[in-house]
Amino acid sequence: MSYLLSSAYQQSVNYLPVSDAVLQEQFAQLLAEEKVTQADIDTFYALVDHAQKPDYPTEPIEQITEEELAAYLDGVVDEKTTAERIPSRADLYLMEQKLG
């Protein structure tokens, strides 16, 4: 786990890093390369700062994800099936909550 959270690993990923320090370094580099503007960076932080926790319980969705991931890790299903089943089951659960 410490390796996955290390700055060296976080800098090597092609998605948003978990470390804010690494993210700030990446933004500084993108800004220097003129790939983003300061306004883009400010907008990103404004969106993150104003993100709100969903108003529905997340535990059932987490349980669905864990069940499907366990099946994938056990080799019962492939990644494509797993990627299809998680949102399908989550959508079904959320629809049942609205109707119930």
Side-chain angles (χ1 to χ4, degrees):
M1 186 62 101
S2 61
Y3 169 71
L4 295 176
L5 295 175
S6 70
S7 289
Y9 179 77
Q10 288 293 304
Q11 290 172 348
S12 71
V13 296
N14 292 328
Y15 48 86
L16 289 175
V18 209
S19 165
D20 188 52
V22 172
L23 179 61
Q24 289 178 17
E25 288 176 30
Q26 289 178 353
F27 277 151
Q29 182 178 357
L30 292 170
L31 191 59
E33 296 170 359
E34 297 182 355
K35 292 184 177 179
V36 297
T37 65
Q38 187 61 49
D40 295 331
I41 295 169
D42 294 343
T43 300
F44 171 82
Y45 278 108
L47 289 170
V48 170
D49 289 344
H50 290 93
Q52 296 180 2
K53 187 176 179 178
D55 62 351
Y56 56 86
T58 59
E59 291 85 12
I61 303 295
E62 291 168 12
Q63 181 65 36
I64 289 168
T65 304
E66 288 174 6
E67 289 171 5
E68 295 300 335
L69 183 59
Y72 169 72
L73 293 174
D74 289 341
V76 176
V77 294
D78 62 8
E79 71 235 23
K80 183 176 184 240
T81 303
T82 302
E84 292 169 353
R85 287 170 68 174
I86 292 173
S88 175
R89 286 187 58 199
D91 288 344
L92 179 62
Y93 167 77
L94 293 172
M95 195 179 321
E96 288 172 346
Q97 297 308 301
K98 285 182 181 180
L99 298 175

